[in-house]
Amino acid sequence: MVAPVNPKKIRFIKLGEGGKWETSCIGDGTVRLGYQSPHHAASLRGDWDVVREFWLDVRNGNKGAATRDVNQIRDFYELGADDVWITFHNKYLYWCRADGAVRELADGSRSRLAIGGWQNTDEKGNELRIDRLDGRVSKVRGYQGTICAVELPEYVVRKINGDVQTDVAAADGALKDLRNHAAVLIQGLGWKDFELLVELVFSRAGWQRFSVVGATEKDTDLDLVAPLSGRRAFVQVKSSTDRAEVRDYISRWQSHDHEEFYMVYHTTSENFDDLQDNARGLYLMGPNELAERVVLAGLMQWLIDKRS
């Protein structure tokens, strides 16, 4: 079992001006600092007054700017092997821990080895995509300096460890409960309302009815089209169904030119997982699957009203 990451400090680092070192650093497993000065040895021994005097001269006596420079350089030299560095590259958050040895490179920049290399997955193997991060963390990409602390450090640690955020877990549980309630309500719909619900779900997803092939008290066939792509879909709406009937409709669909086939049913006592897995473009949608789409389509209030 992997021990959880538990840093005292987390720092964002911009790998070179404009991110010019991102690819090389992530590729060769290094953390690199571009502050160049003749005081590498002083930095190693922690003589920050010497370093400060140098940067105060570079900044023409601007004490605030010099202090910011020294604080960033000092973080690079002093953060421990248990502390965490993060950066962003190609739509991912990358993180690492760095060994304690700071090396001066030929161009005057400094480098530390990333222990185990840079990672863009959490400790459980899940990708750390920028679009799945709290915006208060990802906004640090716009930082104008080189190294800085990050907002929500506890959140970042939980993300790296692959722990579910407590508020997200609570919301996810509520969403699952909502879907379960939706499935129960769907199974209590009369046929006409069930048929209308299916049409609403597909229309909210952007499909347009091309024609109604047939309609009875027990089933409806819909011929749908996706306006932008011209993709065609055949939808069979059934009050109830069984394995033999599903196989029959799959066979009929495969003889036509519709790219997709949806069989939406109200009730069954059989399992169709193997049929679903063996046909590309085939979607078998029972009350549970339909419930998920009802919630996504914002039709929960409609469903509640129909059952009230």
Side-chain angles (χ1 to χ4, degrees):
M1 186 174 180
V2 177
V5 173
N6 187 28
K8 292 181 180 178
K9 296 180 180 179
I10 299 177
R11 293 292 185 266
F12 164 77
I13 184 166
K14 185 177 294 182
L15 296 172
E17 185 177 358
K20 65 182 180 180
W21 294 330
E22 288 174 1
T23 300
S24 60
C25 284
I26 290 170
D28 60 24
T30 57
V31 187
R32 190 170 175 184
L33 178 71
Y35 274 101
Q36 297 164 345
S37 80
H39 298 297
H40 173 56
S43 299
L44 286 175
R45 64 176 180 265
D47 192 349
W48 297 111
D49 288 338
V50 171
V51 178
R52 186 182 306 279
E53 287 301 318
F54 173 82
W55 286 103
L56 190 60
D57 182 58
V58 171
R59 299 302 184 187
N60 298 315
N62 187 324
K63 294 181 180 180
T67 296
R68 289 191 293 271
D69 294 331
V70 174
N71 287 343
Q72 293 175 72
I73 297 168
R74 187 167 182 172
D75 273 345
F76 188 81
Y77 277 82
E78 293 188 347
L79 256 67
D82 291 329
D83 293 321
V84 166
W85 297 91
I86 69 168
T87 196
F88 299 91
H89 179 63
N90 283 349
K91 302 181 180 180
Y92 290 96
L93 178 148
Y94 281 82
W95 69 276
C96 75
R97 288 169 289 192
D99 71 0
V102 181
R103 303 159 184 85
E104 184 174 26
L105 304 182
D107 65 354
S109 63
R110 317 298 202 247
S111 177
R112 294 176 64 175
L113 288 177
I115 300 170
W118 286 93
Q119 309 293 326
N120 68 345
T121 57
D122 64 29
E123 291 287 71
K124 297 178 182 177
N126 304 301
E127 291 183 338
L128 293 169
R129 295 183 58 87
I130 294 174
D131 58 11
R132 301 294 299 273
L133 294 176
D134 190 301
R136 289 170 290 181
V137 174
S138 57
K139 74 177 183 181
V140 76
R141 289 179 294 167
Y143 178 60
Q144 296 301 306
T146 301
I147 294 173
C148 69
V150 298
E151 284 193 57
L152 308 178
E154 297 85 0
Y155 167 87
V156 175
V157 170
R158 288 197 297 270
K159 289 294 289 187
I160 289 173
N161 284 322
D163 297 333
V164 178
Q165 311 298 322
T166 53
D167 52 349
V168 171
D172 187 55
L175 183 58
K176 289 178 180 177
D177 288 342
L178 185 62
R179 289 169 178 164
N180 291 337
H181 287 303
V184 173
L185 293 176
I186 287 170
Q187 290 179 307
L189 287 174
W191 165 246
K192 288 298 182 181
D193 284 336
F194 179 61
E195 174 190 348
L196 178 57
L197 177 62
V198 173
E199 288 197 50
L200 287 171
V201 165
F202 278 91
S203 66
R204 292 283 178 94
W207 292 94
Q208 293 181 357
R209 183 194 288 193
F210 191 77
S211 67
V212 177
V213 180
T216 71
E217 289 300 315
K218 294 184 179 181
D219 59 72
T220 300
D221 301 340
L222 300 175
D223 187 356
L224 304 178
V225 61
L228 291 180
S229 67
R231 196 169 75 256
R232 297 283 291 276
F234 176 66
V235 182
Q236 177 70 35
V237 185
K238 300 288 294 183
S239 57
S240 62
T241 193
D242 56 30
R243 189 177 184 84
E245 187 172 50
V246 171
R247 291 175 65 90
D248 178 55
Y249 274 103
I250 292 174
S251 179
R252 294 189 202 183
W253 162 59
Q254 290 173 334
S255 67
H256 295 150
D257 58 359
H258 291 76
E259 288 89 348
E260 298 178 17
F261 172 52
Y262 296 82
M263 189 155 189
V264 188
Y265 54 89
H266 197 286
T267 304
T268 190
S269 60
E270 301 185 53
N271 186 291
F272 309 132
D273 288 348
D274 61 315
L275 300 179
Q276 173 76 76
D277 294 339
N278 292 331
R280 184 177 181 181
L282 167 67
Y283 303 92
L284 304 178
M285 196 180 299
N288 291 326
E289 293 77 16
L290 183 59
E292 182 175 354
R293 288 155 179 82
V294 164
V295 173
L296 289 173
L299 290 165
M300 196 63 198
Q301 189 61 56
W302 181 95
L303 181 57
I304 291 171
D305 292 341
K306 283 294 182 179
R307 289 297 315 278
S308 297

